[in-house]
Amino acid sequence: MHPNEDIYYIPVNFTDAGRVLGLFELRNCIEAAVLAAPTVGLCTLVAQHTPFSLTVKLILSLCLLVPVCGFALAGIRDEPLSRFLITYLRWRKNRRIALNKGGIIKYERKRTHLRRAGRRGAKPHARR
């Protein structure tokens, strides 16, 4: 080691920056709160209209609320749910089939071509 080199020590909690409780990203927490609000409303509605005791109502509410919030906090593949939903919808809109030789066929065109060729008595289109 040369005497002119600087040594920088990385703190243990350096990856915890921007996280809530060191585990959850802020965006996931906001999404969990947004999804929890209607779920809490549904739980209070169910609690008002059921004749069960307070313990049973609380357990029913937690059985609805914990999976919704846990799923929102964890996300899908470490991505927030909103980002995953946007990616999925973009994929559904621009769906294509990739061929071995690198060519791309639009999915809808391929589907209509296969549908026409699959009819009884219908001849498949000749290639041009």
Side-chain angles (χ1 to χ4, degrees), residues 1-7:
M1 184 182 314
H2 299 290
N4 295 343
E5 290 183 9
D6 293 334
I7 297 175

Side-chain angles (χ1 to χ4, degrees), residues 13-96:
N13 64 348
F14 120 91
T15 58
D16 296 344
R19 293 183 176 254
V20 177
L21 300 175
L23 296 172
F24 307 111
E25 291 183 19
L26 185 61
R27 183 171 178 170
N28 289 9
C29 292
I30 292 170
E31 287 181 3
V34 167
L35 290 176
T39 308
V40 168
L42 178 69
C43 291
T44 55
L45 233 151
V46 167
Q48 288 175 354
H49 296 293
T50 55
F52 301 123
S53 68
L54 179 64
T55 306
V56 174
K57 290 178 183 180
L58 186 65
I59 290 173
L60 284 174
S61 297
L62 288 176
C63 285
L64 288 173
L65 193 61
V66 168
V68 169
C69 289
F71 187 63
L73 285 173
I76 298 175
R77 293 185 182 173
D78 292 332
E79 286 190 2
L81 293 179
S82 60
R83 188 178 300 155
F84 176 79
L85 183 66
I86 289 169
T87 305
Y88 175 73
L89 292 175
R90 191 175 296 145
W91 174 80
R92 291 285 297 182
K93 180 183 173 193
N94 301 323
R95 192 168 26 174
R96 301 175 193 279

Side-chain angles (χ1 to χ4, degrees), residues 81-124:
L81 293 179
S82 60
R83 188 178 300 155
F84 176 79
L85 183 66
I86 289 169
T87 305
Y88 175 73
L89 292 175
R90 191 175 296 145
W91 174 80
R92 291 285 297 182
K93 180 183 173 193
N94 301 323
R95 192 168 26 174
R96 301 175 193 279
I97 295 176
L99 302 176
N100 281 342
K101 296 181 182 180
I104 294 176
I105 296 177
K106 285 199 173 207
Y107 184 73
E108 293 299 322
R109 180 174 169 224
K110 172 91 172 157
R111 204 161 110 203
T112 57
H113 174 70
L114 290 176
R115 198 178 312 136
R116 274 190 244 129
R119 284 192 226 147
R120 287 187 179 172
K123 295 180 183 176

